[in-house]
DNA sequence: GCCGTTTTCGGCCCGACTGTTTTCAGTCG
């Protein structure tokens, strides 16, 4: 059984092995690229294995890697990859994860000192043999030691909802410093990725040195990794506890994340933001495009290529564009891509890009819990929360009876709640439309937790999987299809049930779900809670292309959960979602017509 | 190993920082 994830990891591992064996870097890169391309797919690769045409149609996959994918799906292995693995000690690839240790150094340590794993590396540092290698001295060894320590205390990739407030705090801090004109975060955080590896902060300031000094002296800084004239890197303690959402840390290591600060000249702000926002793949494509137009692009600007060596800005050459990102993309004759689109997923060759959904477009929350099940809010508090957001509609969707641990409602309690909602509607009048609903469990076989009559009595039905989240892909597909095809269901809630950094969730054939959802006019939820973000970005993109309806809902359990909407919107934007295709953005009448079409 | 609005062969981004160097290699993003 080869899932896309396992195929991607096989190619990734093969690329690492080739690096350690010192093979051709372009060949290595080609394999790493296949891994990325496969990770982005929503088609089940197993279903097109053996079809070279379909495989090579995927950018980054050529004739040879297509054959390897087919071999992997059919036999469970790739002979060539096994041969690579046989040539490299099993513990060696893990050394590549140590910050500061790269393939060249690991390879030399292995070939010249026989170091095959982390333990041997530590021993070689202690007995001084590592420092004996050419171009490796005491300081380099100390750096590797620090890298090992950093690896041990790294919190892993931070969930978006943890990284965003932290970055905003750092930006606010830097903005208060004397002489700081601008400050912003860039990187994968600005692109709204669901998890963040490190934080990138950009600043324009009169006195760069003073900013770096203040930054490195920040009370949350655990250690300074590097500090230069334009860039400093630190390890910063997390101001919040990660609990189950972080990597399990060894011993008493305090979780920390790397934060990079760059102070840039005001006139190259746009170039720097473009450069440090990435993604790496997007920038690579963009710079290739620049070269083809006789230009060269770096973090200082876009320059005419004069054929000379060395950075153009340091030779006094004036940039063609640099002050704003818009200027740069315009000069390169590329339609301006919002940061969330910059993943090299077709945004650079698009003649036109969609007008992406914005936070302010949301007009309804269609997934809210109260104290009747596992919510912290009373019915009135939930409604007030929606009013404070400027919404026209709030749906009360407490859990159904099978979710006993969440205090799920049975039919009798559901009827009682309906009465309370009628009374609340009287009280609130036209300040808010309150929908009677349920987040009904999709049981393991795809049947729903309430009978049709009960479901028909509700204004809105969100059907979600909560249990049996590790069932086989085929069973999961059948299960979710059955829920989508149910005539009373409006929204498929958190379709895969994944929890970021904690649970993989279901791996159904998403394309089949999208086709069915389109046919039955069922909206697929982007659950906006940062621990879920389910559907994820690549799923949203495929659902949008399939013509599906999407819902962005906060799955409100407490008042603060409404604030997670921005993460759902970021995820939607990464999937090229427009307000038009998102049911939460529709005017009350249109939304109502859609809901009633299922009654 | 992939790819093509000059190319089916010959390319494949660019700079900062660090350490070990005396001009550069390795790592990172």
């Amino acid at each position: 059984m080869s899932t896309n994830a396992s195929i991607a990891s096989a190619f990734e591992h093969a690329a690492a092995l080739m690096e350690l064996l010192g093979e051709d870097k372009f060949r290595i890169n080609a394999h790493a690229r296949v891994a990325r391309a496969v990770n982005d797919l929503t088609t089940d690769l197993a279903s097109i294995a053996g079809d070279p045409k379909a495989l090579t149609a995927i950018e980054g996959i050529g004739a040879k890697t297509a054959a390897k994918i087919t071999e992997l799906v059919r036999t469970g292995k790739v002979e060539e990859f096994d041969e690579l693995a046989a040539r490299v000690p099993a513990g060696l690839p893990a050394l590549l994860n140590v910050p500061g240790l790269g393939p060249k150094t690991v390879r030399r340590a292995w070939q010249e000192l026989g170091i095959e794993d982390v333990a041997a590396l530590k021993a070689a540092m202690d007995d001084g043999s590592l420092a004996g290698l050419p171009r490796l001295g005491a300081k380099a060894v100390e750096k590797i030691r620090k890298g090992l320590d950093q690896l041990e205390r790294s919190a892993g990739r931070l969930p978006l909802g943890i990284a965003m407030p932290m970055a905003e705090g750092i930006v606010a801090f830097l903005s208060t410093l004397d002489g700081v004109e601008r400050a912003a975060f860039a990187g994968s955080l600005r692109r709204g990725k669901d998890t963040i590896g490190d934080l990138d902060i950009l600043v324009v300031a009169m006195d760069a040195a003073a900013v770096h000094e203040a930054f490195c002296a920040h009370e949350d800084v655990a250690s300074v990794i590097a500090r230069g004239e334009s860039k400093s890197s630190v390890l910063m303690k997390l101001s919040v506890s990660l609990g189950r959402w972080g990597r399990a840390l060894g011993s008493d290591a305090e979780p920390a994340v790397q934060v990079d600060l760059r102070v840039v000249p005001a006139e190259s702000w746009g170039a720097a933001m473009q450069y440090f926002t990435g993604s790496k793949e997007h920038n690579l494509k963009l710079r290739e495009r620049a070269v083809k137009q006789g230009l060269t692009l770096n973090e200082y600007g876009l320059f005419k290529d004069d054929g000379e060596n060395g950075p153009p800005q340091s030779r006094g050459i004036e940039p063609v564009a640099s002050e704003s990102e818009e200027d740069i993309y315009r000069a390169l004759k590329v339609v301006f891509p919002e940061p969330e689109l910059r993943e090299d997923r077709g945004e650079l060759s698009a003649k036109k890009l969609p007008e992406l959904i914005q936070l302010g477009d949301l007009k309804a929350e269609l997934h809210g819990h109260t104290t009747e099940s596992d919510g912290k809010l009373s019915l009135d508090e939930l409604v007030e929360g929606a009013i404070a957001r400027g919404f026209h509609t709030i749906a009360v969707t407490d859990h159904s009876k099978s979710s006993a641990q969440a205090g799920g409602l049975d039919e009798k309690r559901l009827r009682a709640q309906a009465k309370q909602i009628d009374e609340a509607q009287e009280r609130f009048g036209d300040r808010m439309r309150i929908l009677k609903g349920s987040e009904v469990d999709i049981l393991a076989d795809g049947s729903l937790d309430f009978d049709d009559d009960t479901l028909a009595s509700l204004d809105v039905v969100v059907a979600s999987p909560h249990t049996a989240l590790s069932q086989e892909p085929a069973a999961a597909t059948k299960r979710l299809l059955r829920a989508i095809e149910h005539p009373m269901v409006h929204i498929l809630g958190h379709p895969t049930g994944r929890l970021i950094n904690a649970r993989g969730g279901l791996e159904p054939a998403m394309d089949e779900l999208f086709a069915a959802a389109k046919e039955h006019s069922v909206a697929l939820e982007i659950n906006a809670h940062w621990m879920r973000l389910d559907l994820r970005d690549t799923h949203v993109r495929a659902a949008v292309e399939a013509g599906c309806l999407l819902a962005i809902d906060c799955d409100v359990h407490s008042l603060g959960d409404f604030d997670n909407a921005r993460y759902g919107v970021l995820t939607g934007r990464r999937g090229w979602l427009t307000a038009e295709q998102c049911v939460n953005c529709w005017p009350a009448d249109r939304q109502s017509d859609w809901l009633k079409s299922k009654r």
Side-chain angles (χ1 to χ4, degrees):
Chain A
M1 172 73 234
S2 313
T3 61
N4 289 5
S6 69
I7 294 168
S9 95
F11 275 83
E12 209 168 319
H13 191 61
L17 295 173
M18 287 188 243
E19 277 204 302
L20 292 169
L21 290 166
E23 300 211 4
D24 175 66
K25 62 178 178 167
F26 295 111
R27 204 170 153 251
I28 294 167
N29 190 33
H31 283 76
R33 240 185 112 194
V34 170
R36 281 196 304 274
V38 168
N39 260 329
D40 285 354
L41 283 181
T42 44
T43 332
D44 186 15
L45 260 191
S47 69
I48 56 169
D51 179 353
K53 246 195 174 143
L55 287 171
T56 54
I58 299 163
E59 204 181 332
I61 297 180
K64 290 194 178 165
T65 48
K68 288 177 194 177
I69 290 170
T70 300
E71 183 186 349
L72 186 54
V73 169
R74 292 207 175 134
T75 69
K77 62 193 185 74
V78 179
E79 205 163 313
E80 189 195 316
F81 292 177
D82 286 352
E83 282 166 14
L84 290 173
R87 292 165 60 200
V88 178
L92 207 59
L95 294 184
L96 293 174
N97 297 330
V98 180
L101 260 189
K104 299 270 168 59
T105 310
V106 173
R107 181 172 154 80
R108 269 183 17 226
W110 167 41
Q111 304 218 307
E112 292 170 35
L113 298 175
I115 290 170
E116 299 193 347
D117 52 28
V118 174
L121 178 73
K122 281 184 177 166
M125 288 193 297
D126 292 341
D127 69 18
S129 56
L130 191 67
L133 284 179
R135 295 199 72 88
L136 270 177
K139 277 191 166 175
V141 170
E142 198 45 43
K143 203 175 158 188
I144 294 167
R145 202 185 293 279
K146 271 188 158 173
L148 271 170
D149 179 54
Q150 185 181 345
L151 185 65
E152 273 168 21
R153 69 187 302 174
S154 162
R157 291 191 66 85
L158 290 186
L160 179 59
I162 300 289
M164 182 77 83
M166 185 171 169
E168 286 169 342
I170 298 169
V171 167
F173 162 75
L174 291 169
S175 301
T176 63
L177 299 177
D178 278 346
V180 169
E181 293 167 27
R182 300 179 90 155
F185 58 77
S188 53
L189 182 61
R190 181 164 177 244
R191 302 199 312 277
K193 264 192 82 138
D194 52 10
T195 61
I196 310 300
D198 53 26
L199 304 180
D200 295 292
I201 315 278
L202 295 187
V203 160
V204 173
M206 303 286 286
D207 183 355
V211 176
H212 284 298
E213 190 178 332
F215 175 65
C216 292
H218 188 283
E219 58 178 359
D220 289 338
V221 169
S223 66
V224 177
I225 299 168
R227 184 166 158 192
E229 278 176 35
S230 68
K231 172 190 166 175
S232 48
S233 282
V234 301
L235 219 47
M236 208 173 251
K237 289 181 277 188
L238 296 186
S239 39
V240 290
S241 161
L242 273 184
R244 63 192 289 208
W245 314 120
R247 192 173 72 88
L249 296 176
S251 66
D252 52 356
E254 195 174 4
V257 61
Q258 183 171 331
V259 185
D260 296 340
L261 171 72
R262 285 165 175 95
V263 181
V264 304
E267 62 273 18
S268 46
W269 175 258
M273 282 297 275
Q274 195 288 318
Y275 189 91
F276 291 111
T277 294
S279 66
K280 201 173 163 182
E281 291 76 21
H282 172 92
N283 284 355
L284 226 143
K285 272 273 168 66
L286 193 66
R287 291 201 285 278
E288 278 175 10
R289 189 176 273 261
V291 169
K292 275 181 194 147
Q293 296 177 27
L295 299 162
T296 177
L297 178 62
N298 61 32
E299 60 260 57
Y300 296 97
L302 180 67
F303 300 87
K304 277 222 166 67
D305 186 4
D306 59 2
E308 301 286 321
N309 284 328
Q313 71 279 358
S314 60
R315 289 183 282 117
I317 309 224
E318 284 297 310
V320 177
S322 68
E323 278 180 34
S324 77
E325 290 188 324
E326 285 83 355
D327 289 346
I328 290 166
Y329 285 102
R330 197 180 305 121
L332 287 167
K333 301 182 178 66
V334 174
V335 182
F336 179 78
E338 295 291 339
E340 297 90 338
L341 300 186
R342 301 180 195 167
E343 296 291 343
D344 187 25
R345 292 178 184 156
E347 72 280 5
L348 284 171
S349 50
K351 293 214 166 56
K352 192 166 173 285
L353 289 170
E355 189 164 330
L356 301 178
I357 185 171
Q358 298 181 40
L359 187 58
D361 293 331
L362 295 181
K363 296 295 175 207
E365 169 65 43
L366 299 175
H367 187 166
H369 295 268
T370 71
T371 48
E372 280 296 310
S373 64
D374 61 350
K376 302 263 194 307
L377 302 173
S378 69
L379 177 55
D380 281 27
E381 286 168 336
L382 179 66
V383 175
E384 294 286 2
I387 291 172
R389 265 31 184 211
F391 290 170
H392 57 59
T393 296
I394 176 78
V396 181
T397 59
D398 275 309
H399 287 284
S400 62
K401 58 192 176 190
S402 284
S403 281
Q405 77 292 344
L409 282 63
D410 59 16
E411 289 81 352
K412 189 176 162 202
R413 287 177 61 206
L414 192 65
R415 278 195 297 275
Q417 188 184 47
K419 258 183 87 177
Q420 289 168 9
I421 291 175
D422 283 335
E423 289 163 15
Q425 187 65 77
E426 287 282 312
R427 283 198 301 282
F428 284 98
D430 55 14
R431 293 171 63 208
M432 180 60 51
R433 184 172 62 151
I434 312 170
L435 300 179
K436 295 168 198 155
S438 171
E439 181 183 15
V440 60
D441 265 45
I442 304 173
L443 307 179
D445 65 354
S447 61
L448 299 185
D449 205 16
F450 287 131
D451 63 31
D452 289 6
D453 286 347
T454 305
L455 294 173
S457 73
L458 299 169
D459 301 317
V460 57
V461 172
V462 179
S464 311
H466 288 107
T467 52
L469 293 175
S470 48
Q471 65 189 163
E472 285 296 309
T477 305
K478 236 176 113 181
R479 173 192 195 179
L480 296 177
L481 277 177
R482 196 171 158 197
I484 289 170
E485 287 160 2
H486 193 293
M488 298 293 166
V489 170
H490 296 100
I491 296 172
L492 187 66
H494 48 73
T496 75
R498 72 134 170 196
L499 291 178
I500 285 170
N501 287 353
R503 180 170 76 205
L506 301 170
E507 289 188 76
M510 299 306 291
D511 287 354
E512 287 183 47
L513 300 192
F514 299 156
K518 158 106 170 104
E519 184 187 343
H520 294 276
S521 193
V522 166
L524 299 156
E525 182 181 80
I526 301 171
N527 192 295
H529 199 294
W530 50 263
M531 71 183 187
R532 290 193 183 273
L533 294 176
D534 175 19
L535 299 177
R536 69 193 69 179
D537 55 3
T538 51
H539 293 159
V540 176
R541 176 78 185 277
V544 164
E545 277 177 6
C548 296
L549 297 175
L550 279 294
I552 295 180
D553 281 316
C554 292
D555 195 352
V556 178
H557 284 76
S558 63
L559 215 47
D561 287 348
F562 279 107
D563 294 335
N564 288 327
R566 59 175 174 163
Y567 305 125
V569 169
L570 281 169
T571 303
R573 290 167 65 88
R574 289 176 61 78
W576 298 43
L577 179 63
T578 62
E580 169 63 24
Q581 233 168 317
C582 177
V583 295
N584 306 70
C585 305
W586 292 353
D589 287 353
R590 182 177 178 194
Q591 203 177 72
S592 196
D593 288 345
W594 168 64
L595 291 170
K596 283 176 185 157
S597 73
K598 301 221 149 205
R599 287 292 170 269

